[in-house]
Amino acid sequence: MSKIAKKLIGVVLAGFIGLAGSAFAAENAAGVVEHTDLTVKSIKAALEAAKAGNAAESLANIKQGRQHYKEITGDAAGKPLQDAIKVLREGQVALEAGDTKKGAEILTGVVSSLEKIQSGIKK
């Protein structure tokens, strides 16, 4: 086998292993609970930052929360979780425009929705 073929196979295998590892983490019940908890924690931190008038920190926490949300696979929370994340986007837009008061109002509702979803996920 040529060096290029060996490198290509290595890259492809590494990609599959990486994808399988991240997918496995959130497909099992413990992974779903973990990433749901991390999503809620990040959005709560975003809310606190917005209440304090810190749009940049709030946006950073929203970004982190969205990353955790992306790790939740399957039908763990389904449509209610998707709907909460859509509303989160509205808060993000307000914060990007510098309106921390409106962002905090929206995030308050998102946190409430996420906590309700979180309490319904089997642990």
Side-chain angles (χ1 to χ4, degrees):
M1 231 188 246
S2 72
K3 272 185 162 179
I4 294 174
K6 286 180 183 179
K7 284 185 181 184
L8 182 60
I9 290 171
V11 169
V12 170
L13 285 175
F16 282 133
I17 291 169
L19 288 173
S22 66
F24 178 75
E27 282 184 359
N28 62 41
V32 169
V33 169
E34 175 188 5
H35 284 287
T36 302
D37 290 349
L38 290 170
T39 300
V40 172
K41 182 180 176 183
S42 296
I43 303 308
K44 280 183 175 180
L47 172 59
E48 294 307 313
K51 285 180 179 178
N54 189 338
E57 183 179 340
S58 184
L59 288 167
N61 283 304
I62 287 172
K63 182 178 179 182
Q64 186 176 33
R66 286 170 99 43
Q67 286 300 101
H68 290 297
Y69 161 73
K70 290 177 184 178
E71 293 296 324
I72 303 169
T73 59
D75 195 30
K79 183 132 173 59
L81 183 57
Q82 291 174 357
D83 292 343
I85 298 302
K86 285 180 187 175
V87 175
L88 177 63
R89 178 70 182 132
E90 294 172 21
Q92 184 176 351
V93 168
L95 289 162
E96 288 169 345
D99 192 345
T100 55
K101 183 178 178 183
K102 183 177 179 182
E105 289 172 7
I106 294 169
L107 290 177
T108 299
V110 172
V111 167
S112 176
S113 295
L114 290 174
E115 288 177 330
K116 184 177 178 182
I117 292 164
Q118 182 183 32
S119 68
I121 293 176
K122 296 177 184 176
K123 294 184 180 190

